[in-house]
Amino acid sequence: MTYIFYKYGKYEDEQYFSEVFRMNIDRLNFWSGLFWGLGFVAFLDEMVFHQLLHWHHFYDKSTTSIGLISDGLFHAFSWFATVASLFMVADLRRKNAWNKKRWISAALIGAGGFNLYDGIIQHKIFKIHQIRYNVEIIYYDIVWNGLAAIILMIGILLLKQSKVRTGEI
Amino acid sequence: MHTHHFHHYIFIAASLLIGLYFVGVIRSNKKFKKWQFNRTLYWVIGILSITIAFLGPLQNHGDFIMHMYSHLLIGMISPLFLSLAQPLTLLLRNLPVAQARQITSILKSSYFRIITHPVVAMIINIGGLWFLYTSSLIYVMHEVFIVNIVVHIHLFLGGYFFTISVLSIPPLPNRASFRLRAITLILFMALHSILAKWLYANPLFEDVASVQKGAMIMYYGGDIVDVLMVISLLYDYYKPSKREIVFTKKAESLN
């Protein structure tokens, strides 16, 4: 009896991340850092403020529908970005091309940028939820956004110092 | 009671499916490269999770928390593991040429191509879910047994076709680009968590507390399965490629 082997071509067009994301090593270092910072802060926010302190609410009655959509998209993207960033780091490490300083500065930019977006757009404009309830919220907002801005600035300054490697993928 | 027999049928079907897969693996190993053990494990996990979902909560109509757990099992966890187990590839390896060709021609048909396009599969999957919870179908489902069955079959098949198209699991004839599949998966994750929060805000039943608990199970449970899907999507692009090995060999021979 003869059999056929169904050929599916899964291995024929396999690519590495630099090709999949169309990035050179510098960009791969930058974006994986940024994705990680963003995803890690989103995760920390969920763990500390939602689960441990119970300051944030799962759903706040004043949430707008655009807020719900923005929250959903951002939540999904940050999950994807966190996993992707770790794969990108593993890929960079096996190529011996992990530029830690560039990566960390990008992570700070991602972390600060996300918190600033969360603190200003999601909390204040879309009103998804507030930092804490039944308190004078303005002080919390100032500390939250102030810290976010400082982290973002440190990230940008460090990034300017980090050496750029050019050349090969 | 017909529900009592229903239990038996599910149990027999599950044992048969696991048994058939084992037989298929043994037969395939005689002719082809050894079947990966992981896939057998995924198959058992997938079948067990769908069995657990069908054996328990279909009976507990009122309990929304159990309803949500069973939905996670039927719509997300079992489709993911069953598609990673690649039952169709195993089937093709075990069939004689003529029958295998018939199956591949079905896989290549335009109908199959359309429903396994990532965007179409996502709309069928998450659209069905949105329809279930935003229309009165959910109430009808709890009243009429046959509607209940149809909804659950749709839930499973929607999840299955979505998983094989986004993860591009063989033997799928057409493979969409990485970018399209990644964006589709992100959109699915977003629409799933938005629906969970919408459900939290607009409880369908009088027992608000249990609906809200259920919505949170949908949200966080969905997150966990989504991460597994993202990992398997990205791992395909991470594992060392054959081309890389060819390049290394070329470089060695040059030196």
Side-chain angles (χ1 to χ4, degrees), chain A residues 4 6, chain B residues 88 91-92 95 97-116 161 164 171-174:
Chain A
I4 65 158
Y6 191 77
Chain B
L88 281 175
L91 183 67
L92 289 174
L95 285 179
V97 177
Q99 278 92 325
R101 286 227 173 93
Q102 277 176 352
I103 290 185
T104 52
S105 70
I106 295 170
L107 296 181
K108 283 176 185 164
S109 67
S110 53
Y111 170 74
F112 201 82
R113 274 175 196 274
I114 290 167
I115 61 161
T116 56
F161 282 110
I164 58 170
L172 203 67
N174 51 338

Side-chain angles (χ1 to χ4, degrees), chain A residues 136-149:
Chain A
E136 196 71 58
I137 193 69
I138 184 74
Y139 303 113
Y140 287 86
D141 282 332
I142 290 169
V143 172
W144 184 282
N145 292 311
L147 270 176

Side-chain angles (χ1 to χ4, degrees), chain A residues 76-141:
Chain A
F77 181 74
S78 65
W79 254 141
F80 190 92
T82 315
V83 179
S85 73
L86 293 173
F87 271 109
M88 284 152 101
V89 169
D91 189 38
L92 284 167
R93 274 178 57 104
R94 75 176 166 194
K95 288 177 185 161
N96 210 3
W98 190 26
N99 183 342
K100 276 183 201 152
K101 192 161 184 184
R102 193 170 175 76
W103 192 86
I104 289 168
S105 55
L108 291 173
I109 293 174
F114 174 80
N115 263 354
L116 213 54
Y117 173 83
D118 195 33
I120 293 175
I121 310 234
Q122 304 223 90
H123 290 170
K124 295 291 115 184
I125 296 175
F126 293 157
K127 298 192 194 314
I128 290 173
H129 54 68
Q130 297 305 319
I131 298 171
R132 200 177 177 180
Y133 293 82
N134 310 318
V135 288
E136 196 71 58
I137 193 69
I138 184 74
Y139 303 113
Y140 287 86
D141 282 332

Side-chain angles (χ1 to χ4, degrees), chain A residues 13-15 46 71 75 94, chain B residues 197 220 223 238 241 243:
Chain A
D13 51 350
E14 231 173 63
Q15 296 159 306
E46 174 66 42
D71 181 52
H75 176 73
R94 75 176 166 194
Chain B
K197 285 207 172 173
Y220 293 111
D223 274 359
Y238 176 75
S241 68
R243 192 174 41 179

